[in-house]
Amino acid sequence: MVENSLSSASITRDLETRFVGQRVIYYPSLTSTMEVAKREAARRGAAEGTVILADEQTAGKGRLERVWLSPRGNIALSVILYPSLSYLPSLIMLASLAVVHSIEAATGLKSQIKWPNDVLIDGRKVCGILIESNVQGSTVKYAIIGIGINVNLRLADFPEILPIATSLSDELGRDVSRLGVIRCLLVEIERLYLALSAGGSIYQEWRDSLVTLGRRVRVKTGQATYEGVAESVARDGSLLLRGLDGSLTRIVAGDVTLRE
Ligand code: BTN
């Protein structure tokens, strides 16, 4: 049986980062780590890299106003950052790459990214990422990266997501240490964040990790549904979709379904 109890101390102890994860606020149960992270950032000006971590969320938030299922055994955390406006759009790339790297480092499993930032193993979603920011003029007041990873989740117990989701334990046939995954993840987030803030680019690696490019897709945005081939991604992270009529549409945010 894998030791799976989480605590702030078990994460921060000897963590090889300068600031990401040096402060962890842990809750056994919480509505959503996003809400607490936003409050910490807005009202109290929490130190950069502060992590809000919950064993279980009772009102987990997904992208596009969806609910995120977040039972005990999974990872649910939010990281508070204060990036500059120039690399705010790259946080989407940063978060998904950090998840791919840390899943591989902690378990050996290979995963891919479905635009913009779902992480999949063999076509099934293992991780969702939500980024919320507060920008006033050209100043980023804060950005919160929320990451939910299905770790020790028996998908057979959740028929509503069984066809589209997977978990690390279902993939490996054994329980996985959440602590190991979280610690790798925080180190990776900081490494990529420092690279970005030093003017580096992670665009090419993110682009190379996308399963979406060249595929026939349906993309739902708040306003419309588009069909076509995912032709490319721009440096700001937007998707360039070649429609069936030959037109090219730039999509900034949306939900992609991969077609056969
Ligand atoms: C998605 O794929 O729709 C994004 C899911 C994001 C879930 C994470 S879990 C930690 C953080 N807290 C939340 O309420 N949501 C994000």
Side-chain angles (χ1 to χ4, degrees):
M1 179 67 187
V2 171
E3 168 51 70
N4 243 326
S5 55
L6 295 176
S7 66
S8 306
S10 60
I11 292 167
T12 54
R13 190 177 303 126
D14 299 327
L15 186 71
E16 291 188 345
T17 62
R18 285 190 228 161
F19 57 96
V20 173
Q22 289 299 325
R23 180 170 174 240
V24 174
I25 308 175
Y26 164 74
Y27 295 83
S29 182
L30 187 63
T31 49
S32 162
T33 58
M34 296 307 278
E35 298 315 316
V36 175
K38 279 192 279 187
R39 222 164 45 221
E40 284 286 326
R43 286 208 215 126
R44 284 185 263 264
E48 182 160 50
T50 297
V51 171
I52 314 298
L53 172 72
D55 241 332
E56 166 196 57
Q57 295 182 116
T58 53
K61 286 172 60 176
R63 290 174 59 237
L64 310 170
E65 309 291 314
R66 284 185 299 228
V67 169
W68 179 257
L69 199 65
S70 199
R72 230 166 267 280
N74 281 353
I75 291 173
L77 60 80
S78 295
V79 184
I80 300 171
L81 296 170
Y82 303 108
S84 74
L85 193 57
S86 61
Y87 55 92
L88 180 64
S90 302
L91 294 190
I92 285 183
M93 306 175 200
L94 174 154
S96 45
L97 278 175
V99 169
V100 168
H101 293 164
S102 54
I103 287 179
E104 180 160 12
T107 68
L109 289 167
K110 301 261 187 223
S111 54
Q112 303 84 32
I113 302 167
K114 178 169 74 99
W115 184 90
N117 55 10
D118 285 347
V119 179
L120 314 181
I121 296 179
D122 282 338
R124 287 166 190 251
K125 182 158 166 172
V126 71
C127 166
I129 295 165
L130 177 66
I131 297 182
E132 296 187 332
S133 56
N134 181 327
V135 180
Q136 287 171 24
S138 59
T139 306
V140 182
K141 292 288 177 191
Y142 60 79
I144 313 288
I145 299 181
I147 298 178
I149 308 179
N150 298 336
V151 183
N152 296 316
L153 185 71
R154 245 174 54 97
L155 264 301
D157 296 337
F158 297 89
E160 66 274 34
I161 55 167
L162 179 61
I164 52 160
T166 189
S167 68
L168 300 181
S169 62
D170 272 8
E171 291 296 322
L172 290 170
R174 60 168 171 84
D175 275 0
V176 171
S177 159
R178 286 182 299 167
L179 196 56
V181 179
I182 292 171
R183 286 170 58 96
C184 283
L185 182 59
L186 299 175
V187 169
E188 273 303 293
I189 289 174
E190 180 171 294
R191 191 180 68 77
L192 294 168
Y193 189 67
L194 289 174
L196 279 179
S197 54
S201 170
I202 55 176
Y203 162 78
Q204 195 58 49
E205 190 186 355
W206 174 70
R207 189 194 153 103
D208 291 345
S209 304
L210 289 172
V211 275
T212 321
L213 297 188
R215 297 278 298 269
R216 185 81 198 273
V217 294
R218 173 179 294 150
V219 189
K220 280 192 189 163
T221 67
Q223 304 77 40
T225 300
Y226 300 90
E227 295 244 3
V229 173
E231 188 164 289
S232 184
V233 279
R235 285 194 163 266
D236 66 0
S238 54
L239 178 70
L240 300 172
L241 184 81
R242 182 69 64 185
L244 303 177
D245 61 357
S247 61
L248 197 61
T249 307
R250 181 171 167 270
I251 300 173
V252 176
D255 198 39
V256 166
T257 311
L258 300 173
R259 316 295 306 275
E260 287 314 311

